[in-house]
Amino acid sequence: MDRVAIFPGSFDPFTVGHEDIVLRSLDLFDKVIISVGYNSNKKEFFSVAKRVEWIKEIFWDNPKVLVRKYEGLTVDFATEVGARYILRGLRTSADFEYERAIAQVNKAMSKIDSVFLLTQPEHTSVNSSIVRDIIKHGGDASLFLPDKIKKRINDFMRK
Ligand code: ADP
């Protein structure tokens, strides 16, 4: 049976930290579905459609990576797409505490296990909300954006 994982998040926007987690997870899984969720607690900056489009662009040549959007409970979406694992990245002990609670609840509600990869040291401080702030205020966030989408995001913001 294929080992399928979903990698859920807001990805508003998708950063080099997210890209690195996905690329490293491909040794563990046959298929990784990057799942762009609506999070009612977070106000969106880029539309879900744009986020999906840009992430697809990063991985267009990798048949093991798919990109989908979803609404509702993450475990329901995982079940719907046949994933047995939820992939998440960990940067800090605060991430760990937050993720532990969610992962344990998800496991109690389903058969789905969460798998965590630690961020690379150089990505520890990369986070979508800081990147958003830089972009919002006209700064250059290129350092934190995957190569394949830097130009797209910069062009989009100049329009
Ligand atoms: P959410 O809204 O679910 O927190 P994010 O888009 O912020 O979604 O993050 C999605 C996943 O990527 C989470 O598991 C988060 O911990 C992880 N992540 C975010 N930034 C990084 C990074 N720089 N390095 C490693 N993992 C990261």
Side-chain angles (χ1 to χ4, degrees):
M1 203 200 295
D2 271 2
R3 284 162 308 165
V4 181
I6 62 165
F7 181 40
S10 325
F11 308 118
D12 192 16
F14 198 83
T15 68
V16 286
H18 296 130
E19 182 183 33
D20 184 63
I21 295 289
V22 172
L23 293 175
R24 285 161 56 214
S25 77
L26 295 178
D27 274 349
L28 303 173
F29 302 112
D30 300 304
K31 189 156 73 166
V32 173
I33 304 170
I34 302 172
S35 309
V36 182
Y38 301 103
N39 183 337
S40 49
N41 296 319
K42 288 190 178 179
K43 218 172 149 268
E44 71 174 22
F45 183 59
F46 293 114
S47 69
V48 170
K50 274 284 158 214
R51 282 179 258 161
V52 167
E53 180 190 320
W54 288 329
I55 302 169
K56 280 187 175 166
E57 203 146 320
I58 302 169
F59 297 102
W60 70 268
D61 56 352
N62 194 327
K64 289 176 77 175
V65 180
L66 304 178
V67 188
R68 294 271 305 268
K69 63 177 177 184
Y70 77 102
E71 242 176 313
L73 285 181
T74 302
V75 282
D76 289 345
F77 181 69
T79 306
E80 185 192 318
V81 296
R84 282 182 298 145
Y85 305 96
I86 294 176
L87 170 69
R88 298 284 284 176
L90 294 178
R91 288 160 294 184
T92 60
S93 50
D95 271 358
F96 172 76
E97 280 307 324
Y98 175 75
E99 297 292 342
R100 181 187 52 75
I102 296 177
Q104 288 173 336
V105 168
N106 282 342
K107 181 69 177 171
M109 292 194 309
S110 68
K111 289 198 168 78
I112 296 163
D113 268 306
S114 294
V115 174
F116 302 104
L117 288 182
L118 272 186
T119 191
Q120 309 257 40
E122 66 270 29
H123 295 145
T124 304
S125 51
V126 179
N127 104 33
S128 292
S129 70
I130 296 179
V131 172
R132 250 184 342 258
D133 270 349
I134 298 173
I135 296 174
K136 211 185 286 178
H137 295 101
D140 183 2
S142 301
L143 258 184
F144 313 114
L145 297 171
D147 281 339
K148 286 189 182 145
I149 59 166
K150 284 177 180 164
K151 191 173 174 313
R152 284 217 164 257
I153 295 188
N154 290 337
D155 290 350
F156 178 80
M157 289 310 291
R158 267 189 230 110
K159 268 188 212 151

